[in-house]
């Protein structure tokens, strides 16, 4: 029996590390694309690093991607690499477009030239909906992105559809709503909150500065969401799917739950900071994942409260270990 081979771009990130673990458990041979850097951060994949094949290439360099596909010859390619922090996309809009939009085109071109039988997963985003036209959002909801990141993701989404329809490539987009974990970067609001709460609990801080506490998001667990990615590439036909919990929670609710975990009143510690608010806010994102449920048989397992508790406990553990 042939061992299935998968290539993951962005393998050192939150989603990449969970997906790598998931695929290894399924018996895959897993390759991870990494950029050459003077400092390398393999912390998230360290426990499984000896079971991975790490290979160098760059989404900014088409030839490196072509060479990579010729060498690895994957059956499945999961494109999780991106400039994924929305505030940075205002500071670096051109670079965000190079990675998140044109970089996807380079990957699809490499597939077209090397092996059109490769099954391709593109990480689309709920940020594409932006100024939402309907609630909840489905695969058919019109896009109205409100950041350079969202705009770049819309381009990537449609170029994936275009290569599927034009060249017959098995290309899927997962429109993933916010998905978090203890491996989330500290620049993201969920981890900023849980890390801040852990610091306060440890006596290392007393205040936590946050932006818009009224913003609503559909938050799920990243470990659940990577299974949906895999399920998309196992279908007889390629398609696009919303992956979400269907529940909406405010940043304020996130904060309240996190402080409850350490037995504190958040109002004594949280300061709302106008400078941390986005130039154009996305107020209400909540996804309808009924298509993913009916076609893929996928459902989230971890609840919002369980997710927040998991993240607070993990951050408290880090500070307890010193």
């Amino acid at each position: 029996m042939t061992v299935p081979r998968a290539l993951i771009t962005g393998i050192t990130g939150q989603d990449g590390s969970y997906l790598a673990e998931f695929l290894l458990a399924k018996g895959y041979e897993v390759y991870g694309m990494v950029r050459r850097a003077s400092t390398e951060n393999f912390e998230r994949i360290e426990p499984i690093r000896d079971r991975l094949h790490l290979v160098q290439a760059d989404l900014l360099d088409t030839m490196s991607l072509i060479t990579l596909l010729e060498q690895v010859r994957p059956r499945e390619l999961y494109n999780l690499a991106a400039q994924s922090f929305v505030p940075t996309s205002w500071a670096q809009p051109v670079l965000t477009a190079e990675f998140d939009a044109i970089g996807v085109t380079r990957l699809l071109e490499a597939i077209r030239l090397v092996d059109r039988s490769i099954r391709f997963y593109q990480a689309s985003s709920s940020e594409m909906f932006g100024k939402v036209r309907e609630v909840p959002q489905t695969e058919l909801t019109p896009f109205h992105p409100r950041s350079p990141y969202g705009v770049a993701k819309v381009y990537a989404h449609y170029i994936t559809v275009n290569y599927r329809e034009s060249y017959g490539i098995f290309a899927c987009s997962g429109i993933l709503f916010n998905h978090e974990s203890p491996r989330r970067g500290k620049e993201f609001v969920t981890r900023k909150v849980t890390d801040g709460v852990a610091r306060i609990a440890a006596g290392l801080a007393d205040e936590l500065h946050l932006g818009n506490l009224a913003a609503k998001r559909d938050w799920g667990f990243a470990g659940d969401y990577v299974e949906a990615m895999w399920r998309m590439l196992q279908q007889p036909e390629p398609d696009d799917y919303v992956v979400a919990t269907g529940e909406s929670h405010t940043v304020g609710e996130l904060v309240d739950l996190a402080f409850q975990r350490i037995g504190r009143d958040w109002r004594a510690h949280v300061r709302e900071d106008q400078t941390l608010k986005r130039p154009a806010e996305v107020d209400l994102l909540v996804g309808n994942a009924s298509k993913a449920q009916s076609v893929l048989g996928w459902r989230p397992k971890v609840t919002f409260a369980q997710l927040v508790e998991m993240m607070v406990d993990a951050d408290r553990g880090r500070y307890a270990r010193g």
Side-chain angles (χ1 to χ4, degrees):
M1 182 177 173
T2 305
V3 176
R5 182 175 294 176
L7 172 63
I8 303 171
T9 73
I11 195 168
T12 60
Q14 170 190 256
D15 292 8
S17 64
Y18 279 110
L19 179 61
E21 289 176 356
F22 178 86
L23 293 176
L24 286 171
K26 289 281 183 187
Y28 277 68
E29 186 178 6
V30 179
Y31 284 74
M33 188 187 97
V34 294
R35 300 180 71 206
R36 188 180 184 282
S38 56
T39 56
E40 296 174 328
N41 182 11
F42 296 138
E43 179 185 355
R44 294 184 181 97
I45 59 171
E46 200 58 51
I48 57 170
R49 190 174 172 186
D50 61 342
R51 301 169 62 195
L52 302 172
H53 305 276
L54 299 182
V55 285
Q56 289 188 355
D58 198 312
L59 287 180
L60 303 185
D61 180 10
T62 304
M63 278 309 302
S64 74
L65 299 175
I66 291 171
T67 302
L68 177 65
L69 295 190
E70 288 176 338
Q71 291 175 345
V72 175
R73 295 286 174 173
R75 185 176 82 179
E76 298 168 9
L77 197 170
Y78 297 85
N79 182 38
L80 309 184
Q83 190 299 101
S84 59
F85 188 45
V86 173
T88 298
S89 74
W90 275 290
Q92 298 180 308
V94 176
L95 185 65
T96 298
E98 281 288 351
F99 278 115
D100 297 7
I102 307 303
V104 180
T105 313
R106 294 187 184 103
L107 260 182
L108 288 164
E109 267 295 277
I111 290 173
R112 183 182 72 84
L113 293 169
V114 175
D115 181 0
R116 297 188 189 186
S117 73
I118 294 171
R119 295 191 167 209
F120 178 76
Y121 171 83
Q122 167 58 19
S124 287
S125 168
S126 60
E127 289 285 335
M128 301 188 304
F129 295 119
K131 191 177 179 68
V132 299
R133 310 289 181 89
E134 62 181 0
V135 179
Q137 293 88 51
T138 73
E139 293 82 4
L140 300 178
T141 302
F143 298 137
H144 188 147
R146 299 269 280 173
S147 66
Y149 170 81
V151 172
K153 283 291 187 178
V154 169
Y155 174 100
H157 181 86
Y158 279 127
I159 201 68
T160 300
V161 172
N162 188 258
Y163 272 68
R164 178 170 71 216
E165 296 177 350
S166 301
Y167 301 116
I169 294 171
F170 194 108
C172 299
S173 284
I175 307 173
L176 270 59
F177 280 65
N178 293 68
H179 46 290
E180 319 297 317
S181 76
R183 300 178 194 174
R184 193 58 143 155
K186 291 182 183 179
E187 68 272 24
F188 292 90
V189 68
T190 47
R191 184 74 195 290
K192 181 178 180 180
V193 168
T194 62
D195 179 73
V197 166
R199 287 176 59 81
I200 289 168
L204 300 173
D206 190 56
E207 290 188 351
L208 176 59
H209 290 251
L210 296 169
N212 184 8
L213 296 181
K216 293 182 178 180
R217 294 291 185 273
D218 183 330
W219 280 298
F221 173 50
D224 289 343
Y225 283 35
V226 298
E227 181 179 348
M229 301 176 188
W230 174 78
R231 286 178 177 260
M232 288 178 210
L233 297 196
Q234 313 314 308
Q235 299 306 306
E237 298 295 333
D239 208 344
D240 306 321
Y241 300 87
V242 163
V243 180
T245 69
E247 295 180 7
S248 180
H249 299 276
T250 66
V251 175
E253 288 177 73
L254 165 70
V255 168
D256 188 30
L257 274 174
F259 275 94
Q260 281 184 39
R261 191 65 173 168
I262 64 167
R264 303 278 188 97
D265 184 344
W266 68 270
R267 287 172 287 249
H269 300 280
V270 172
R271 306 290 176 261
E272 200 162 0
D273 188 339
Q274 296 297 318
T275 65
L276 297 176
K277 294 188 176 182
R278 296 182 180 186
E281 183 56 87
V282 176
D283 294 312
L284 178 55
L285 291 174
V286 57
N288 178 349
S290 58
K291 181 178 174 182
Q293 291 174 8
S294 61
V295 178
L296 305 179
W298 176 86
R299 279 176 173 76
K301 301 179 183 73
V302 176
T303 67
F304 176 65
Q306 289 170 336
L307 174 64
V308 176
E309 291 175 1
M310 176 200 305
M311 293 178 66
V312 170
D313 291 351
D315 278 324
R316 293 190 74 182
R318 287 187 181 96
Y319 288 109
R321 291 191 300 270

